[in-house]
Amino acid sequence: MEEEISRGDSSAAQQRLDKVTEIQSFLISDEAVRIADLLLAEKAVPKGSEEDALHIGIAVAQGADFLLTWNFKHINNAEKKAAITRLIESAGYACPQLCSPEELGGMQDD
């Protein structure tokens, strides 16, 4: 996670890094990889977006309640969220709430 949010504008990247210092990171399990592969195979996440699929797979495999993302192209938009949720739930998993930190509301400036 830290590698991805470190990219881009250095000032914006530092703000993102500052916001996530208290958030627990999860390990990549075989189950997370299987879920990511399913998301890609069923085209819920497009080919070439393997990192995005893996982020979702990790969150699902770990039983996370939320997956915070600023990725509105491949994860956090109405069409993608619906497709991802349907696929995850049809595979027998609970899908975490896919949202931006701003939507969650817990990462707003003091």
Side-chain angles (χ1 to χ4, degrees), residues 7-69:
R7 298 178 191 153
D9 177 78
S10 61
S11 176
Q14 188 58 54
Q15 288 178 344
R16 291 188 296 268
L17 287 167
D18 292 344
K19 297 279 187 184
V20 301
T21 57
E22 304 278 324
I23 297 175
Q24 176 184 2
S25 293
F26 294 116
L27 298 175
I28 300 171
S29 66
D30 291 340
E31 183 178 22
V33 172
R34 282 192 300 275
I35 294 165
D37 289 344
L38 176 66
L39 290 164
L40 292 162
E42 296 295 325
K43 299 183 173 121
V45 175
K47 183 178 177 180
S49 299
E50 288 79 9
E51 280 186 0
D52 298 333
L54 189 55
H55 291 162
I56 298 165
I58 292 167
V60 171
Q62 291 292 324
D65 294 325
F66 297 93
L67 173 58
L68 302 181
T69 180

Side-chain angles (χ1 to χ4, degrees), residues 34-45 53 56 60 79-95:
R34 282 192 300 275
I35 294 165
D37 289 344
L38 176 66
L39 290 164
L40 292 162
E42 296 295 325
K43 299 183 173 121
V45 175
I56 298 165
V60 171
E79 290 177 358
K80 289 296 179 182
K81 285 198 281 193
I84 291 165
T85 300
R86 276 193 303 272
L87 183 58
I88 295 299
E89 291 177 352
S90 73
Y93 295 96
C95 190

